[in-house]
Amino acid sequence: MPVHIALLRAVNVGGTGRLLMSELRALCEDVGFTDVKTYIQSGNVLFRSPLPADDAGKRLDESLARIMGKAPGVVVRNRRQLETIAERNPFPDAKPNYLMVNFLPEAAPANALSDFVAPDGEEAKVAGEEIYVHYPNGSGRSRLTLKILRRATSRNLNTVRKLAEMAAEIEAN
């Protein structure tokens, strides 16, 4: 059975979308997912399901809507996809915690960076369903504006690598 990695949008960020990871694990088990594991408090959950990735993400998003009052948005990837994302990092000299991978629910449009404003020297590259952003001064202090990121859920490169590693461990069992 495939291992899915679900990335929840707007969960436990800035005091909004509060969700305990123990609640997320229980919810995943209630909808029939197995081998459920979470990673840190920002809405990362790995699980096995016979459902295709899109269907598993939709089921999780709908279940979350029932307990959170609205669907947060869920993007699902697999281990190989995360490994490829990490390998194709267009900013290899960036510190991994200063490089954010923004996961979109669909491929970015051709003009995704047309409104990109980077007053602090940020750099961005589009790669299909992901947008890499290097924040040389850290993302917390950044004044970057890019409207498409409102639809994305972001993880730093360290987290992307750790999730791929965790998925490999689940697959090995």
Side-chain angles (χ1 to χ4, degrees):
M1 206 173 355
V3 174
H4 298 296
I5 304 157
L7 309 169
L8 283 58
R9 189 178 161 283
V11 171
N12 296 338
V13 178
T16 63
R18 301 290 302 161
L19 178 66
L20 296 174
M21 294 301 98
S22 57
E23 292 174 340
L24 178 57
R25 281 190 301 277
L27 178 99
C28 287
E29 290 168 352
D30 287 347
V31 298
F33 302 153
T34 60
D35 293 331
V36 179
K37 301 209 178 321
T38 58
Y39 178 66
I40 62 178
Q41 290 292 322
S42 58
N44 305 296
V45 61
L46 301 91
F47 54 86
R48 286 186 187 274
S49 172
L51 296 172
D54 288 343
D55 292 345
K58 185 176 181 180
R59 180 176 288 179
L60 179 55
D61 206 25
E62 289 169 352
S63 297
L64 286 163
R66 287 192 288 277
I67 66 167
M68 298 179 77
K70 69 176 188 171
V74 175
V75 174
V76 178
R77 300 291 190 264
N78 63 43
R79 175 189 52 85
R80 285 189 187 102
Q81 289 171 314
L82 292 188
E83 289 171 346
T84 299
I85 288 164
E87 289 167 7
R88 291 186 178 165
N89 167 16
F91 306 108
D93 295 330
K95 294 178 187 175
N97 57 325
Y98 281 53
L99 177 63
M100 301 298 283
V101 179
N102 299 276
F103 295 88
L104 297 166
E106 70 283 322
N111 67 346
L113 300 181
S114 65
D115 65 338
F116 183 62
V117 177
D120 300 313
E122 298 89 350
E123 303 172 274
K125 295 279 182 180
V126 175
E129 296 177 317
E130 287 79 35
I131 299 175
Y132 297 84
V133 179
H134 173 225
Y135 294 88
N137 300 320
S139 61
R141 294 182 287 277
S142 175
R143 296 174 289 144
L144 174 139
T145 58
L146 183 58
K147 288 180 186 168
I148 195 166
L149 296 185
R150 292 180 192 153
R151 298 189 340 232
T153 185
S154 305
R155 302 296 185 274
N156 72 37
L157 190 58
N158 286 331
T159 298
V160 171
R161 289 175 175 153
K162 180 62 177 180
L163 291 169
E165 177 185 307
M166 290 175 68
E169 290 170 6
I170 295 169
E171 289 173 349
N173 294 324

